[in-house]
Amino acid sequence: MEVDQVVPLPRLPRVAVCGGTHGNELSGVYLVRELLKLQREVMKKKQEEDSKPALVLLVLSNPRAMQQCRRYVDTDLNRCFTHATLNGPLSDMAPYEIIRARELNALLGPKGSPEAVDLVCDLHNTTANMGLCFIGYSDCDWICLHIFRHLQREMPDTPMRFLHFDVSNKESYSLDSVGKHGFAMEIGPQPHGVVRSNIYTAMKVGVQHMLDWVRLFNSGNVFEGGFVDVFTMVKHIDYPRDSETRNITAAIHPCLQDRDFCLLHPEDPLFQTFSGETVRYKGTEPLYPFFINECAYYEKGIALSLARKRRVTIPAIRVQTEQEQQANEQGFASEEEE
Amino acid sequence: MEVDQVVPLPRLPRVAVCGGTHGNELSGVYLVRELLKLQREVMKKKQEEDSKPALVLLVLSNPRAMQQCRRYVDTDLNRCFTHATLNGPLSDMAPYEIIRARELNALLGPKGSPEAVDLVCDLHNTTANMGLCFIGYSDCDWICLHIFRHLQREMPDTPMRFLHFDVSNKESYSLDSVGKHGFAMEIGPQPHGVVRSNIYTAMKVGVQHMLDWVRLFNSGNVFEGGFVDVFTMVKHIDYPRDSETRNITAAIHPCLQDRDFCLLHPEDPLFQTFSGETVRYKGTEPLYPFFINECAYYEKGIALSLARKRRVTIPAIRVQTEQEQQANEQGFASEEEE
């Protein structure tokens, strides 16, 4: 790949912004509600003017969980978007979230099909001190990486990282995987069930810049190549637990708490037990901790996750011309026929 | 009342420390579990030595809510300790927490009776930036005020306040009201469902100093009089809400967030709406805000509470002599007979 060469990529006519995939992560819930209100006003005005409304799909993903202000009702919705779960047999007793995942897949997908929306941005919060993170399954999705770099430039005061969950051995499972491109926008720290103005505003500004970028891209703007630091998830670490009760016996060490993305070295303090002892990091490689003390991960057995950082080169990109697009679609059609 | 005069008060032989009254406020849950473990070890040792074990009752108040990591299962346990709820008729369909409140009243009370434990310290967390707060129903319970002052002196680096919920017009409703003396020890900020080492340690040290004070008191120590600043709750303020959906339409203003106990003046920013406007405080009196953006109070319609501060003079105290105690008990008995 030559950085100088401008890579033409398909247009992104249909973008979805989703909130409330976890019903107690409130920034996305209130932001999508606010955007829906604005969209209704704009559409009313545009109808009067008889012009075409903007195609941003605004989705409240898990209304039942939102109503109860819980992460989920029966099972974690954001783990339900594998092909097996979306397409397997469905009993009458199916968990609410599996039914809802299929509704969302019908609305935004089907996952992996040419009908899927072009980009899904799924809004999340964390209790960890992670700033604004993009979380994606690919470290070579130029669309997501360019959007990320755009936000980094436009929001220089917001700590921002690109997190890559490598699922090359298994399948992507989250809502954003339903789109042709997709990422979770994860912002913290914010307690679940609480909305903090600063976090809400960072998300609102981030979504605005994301939509601005898509408009610029679709209208033919050329985005220059460059570099993005990508954090690739390596492993999770669980809390020390009582062997009988499985209750945790320690909390994140005060020296590690809130220090997401600060390099953790072998023998650095990791936990402080409830009786006061320090438990140290026994790994051999310095790695970057993140999702430190995320509330929802106690039940998943994750006290923190660790990542390796590397610099990814991204090419210059622009939207395909109509000719390129047609050639591309014919290629897709002939692939389909095979 | 003369400050110089030493007021003799009844011994405090039975102290209860309760955690998990709200099942997702984890400092108290893990602290009581840790203290139970230590107590089992000490009692085993003391049994071997054939000596009398210490009489600290350690209670996990709401095990079902703890198991689900929720505030409560059916209804807020910490609102169930009125005489009406504790003693009214009980149907088969009674909420779990009402049944549990009666069990706790049998264990620690009965509320208002001479059999009740002498002191209840009920452990809580808040998402608000409140430091360590004592919350009590009285501003003239010398025991609670002296314990508070002891902690203030022993933990000079911990922001600490005494909050007085004046229920002179209605009845106290919380678990700590079951003891002859009682207070909630409320520490934050900590997201519910999360345990942070610094908050856990502050609670652990606070409880240790509280128990130390009780031991000193019971062994005849004289505690000098002095002053305590008491914050008396004046009123609650709800979020701005949509008149139809009742959804909130604003969050705490970034200038107010985390500024618990910093004087709020008329026209200071109070909320920031989700569309970006500032809503200002329209009161006429400067007051002290607290429980700013407490997670559990969204459903109760409380965005923050406001208090007035005043300085309370507390007398010197000591434990009653055996003679004084006997005279006191005879007085109580004759009252009972009336």
Side-chain angles (χ1 to χ4, degrees), chain B residues 38-95:
Chain B
L38 289 173
Q39 198 176 62
R40 277 193 294 270
E41 286 165 15
V42 169
M43 284 176 86
K44 206 177 148 194
K45 216 171 155 187
K46 289 219 172 178
Q47 270 179 334
E48 285 163 12
E49 292 168 11
D50 201 28
S51 72
K52 201 178 146 196
L55 268 175
V56 178
L57 248 79
L58 298 166
V59 180
L60 290 167
S61 314
N62 194 337
R64 275 201 210 169
M66 281 164 48
Q67 206 246 323
Q68 297 179 35
C69 199
R70 291 166 64 181
R71 184 175 177 87
Y72 56 81
V73 177
D74 293 325
T75 190
D76 191 336
L77 175 62
N78 213 31
R79 302 293 179 275
C80 291
F81 295 91
T82 59
H83 284 282
T85 306
L86 291 173
N87 302 305
L90 192 67
S91 85
D92 289 347
M93 303 286 286

Side-chain angles (χ1 to χ4, degrees), chain A residues 120-141:
Chain A
V120 173
C121 170
D122 192 28
L123 305 174
H124 287 265
N125 291 120
T126 172
T127 58
N129 184 26
M130 282 169 63
L132 191 158
C133 285
F134 276 43
I135 307 181
Y137 293 111
S138 167
D139 58 356
C140 56
D141 183 320

Side-chain angles (χ1 to χ4, degrees), chain B residues 10-312:
Chain B
R11 274 174 62 80
L12 305 168
R14 294 194 306 150
V15 177
V17 177
C18 308
T21 302
H22 294 133
N24 58 1
E25 298 180 10
L26 298 191
S27 305
V29 171
Y30 288 111
L31 179 55
V32 169
R33 280 187 182 149
E34 183 64 23
L35 295 175
L36 278 166
K37 208 174 80 182
L38 289 173
Q39 198 176 62
R40 277 193 294 270
E41 286 165 15
V42 169
M43 284 176 86
K44 206 177 148 194
K45 216 171 155 187
K46 289 219 172 178
Q47 270 179 334
E48 285 163 12
E49 292 168 11
D50 201 28
S51 72
K52 201 178 146 196
L55 268 175
V56 178
L57 248 79
L58 298 166
V59 180
L60 290 167
S61 314
N62 194 337
R64 275 201 210 169
M66 281 164 48
Q67 206 246 323
Q68 297 179 35
C69 199
R70 291 166 64 181
R71 184 175 177 87
Y72 56 81
V73 177
D74 293 325
T75 190
D76 191 336
L77 175 62
N78 213 31
R79 302 293 179 275
C80 291
F81 295 91
T82 59
H83 284 282
T85 306
L86 291 173
N87 302 305
L90 192 67
S91 85
D92 289 347
M93 303 286 286
Y96 167 67
E97 276 83 4
I98 292 190
I99 296 164
R100 184 63 184 146
R102 290 172 185 228
E103 291 172 6
L104 292 166
N105 189 46
L107 180 70
L108 305 176
K111 175 171 172 167
S113 77
E115 288 77 35
V117 297
D118 299 288
L119 175 64
V120 173
C121 170
D122 192 28
L123 305 173
H124 288 265
N125 291 121
T126 172
T127 59
N129 184 27
M130 282 169 61
L132 191 159
C133 284
F134 276 42
I135 306 181
Y137 293 110
S138 167
D139 58 357
C140 57
D141 183 321
W142 310 140
I143 294 293
C144 294
L145 287 162
H146 266 278
I147 294 173
F148 174 76
R149 209 177 46 146
H150 180 69
L151 265 70
Q152 266 190 321
R153 286 179 177 174
E154 296 293 325
M155 302 168 73
D157 298 334
T158 304
M160 214 175 288
R161 284 93 177 188
F162 193 100
L163 260 172
H164 166 221
F165 276 52
D166 184 2
V167 287
S168 44
N169 296 323
K170 33 188 207 270
E171 196 195 350
S172 57
Y173 47 72
S174 59
L175 174 56
D176 49 81
S177 73
V178 170
K180 291 197 184 79
H181 307 270
F183 61 91
M185 189 186 286
E186 178 85 64
I187 315 192
Q190 180 174 271
H192 300 321
V194 159
V195 55
R196 289 176 66 97
S197 249
N198 60 333
I199 302 288
Y200 172 84
T201 302
M203 188 176 274
K204 186 176 178 177
V205 172
V207 168
Q208 279 163 349
H209 286 305
M210 185 267 294
L211 294 174
D212 286 347
W213 186 91
V214 172
R215 270 187 288 271
L216 286 171
F217 175 78
N218 285 341
S219 65
N221 207 78
V222 175
F223 298 93
E224 61 183 10
F227 305 97
V228 169
D229 284 330
V230 170
F231 292 86
T232 299
M233 206 274 279
V234 174
K235 60 177 171 182
H236 305 302
I237 296 182
D238 192 10
Y239 293 94
R241 291 180 188 265
D242 183 278
S243 56
E244 277 177 44
T245 62
R246 304 305 300 154
N247 288 331
I248 65 171
T249 56
I252 292 291
H253 197 280
C255 296
L256 178 60
Q257 179 69 51
D258 301 329
R259 291 180 58 80
D260 299 71
F261 298 104
C262 300
L263 202 54
L264 182 76
H265 292 92
E267 297 302 324
D268 279 352
L270 205 55
F271 299 106
Q272 191 169 58
T273 70
F274 293 133
S275 51
E277 292 96 53
T278 295
V279 178
R280 290 174 184 280
Y281 173 49
K282 290 299 170 196
T284 51
E285 179 189 359
L287 291 169
Y288 293 89
F290 64 98
F291 275 131
I292 298 174
N293 208 353
E294 158 55 36
C295 177
Y297 291 175
Y298 280 67
E299 68 173 26
K300 296 188 198 290
I302 301 173
L304 69 154
S305 300
L306 293 170
R308 208 170 278 137
K309 182 165 85 170
R310 68 189 192 90
R311 186 151 282 191
V312 171

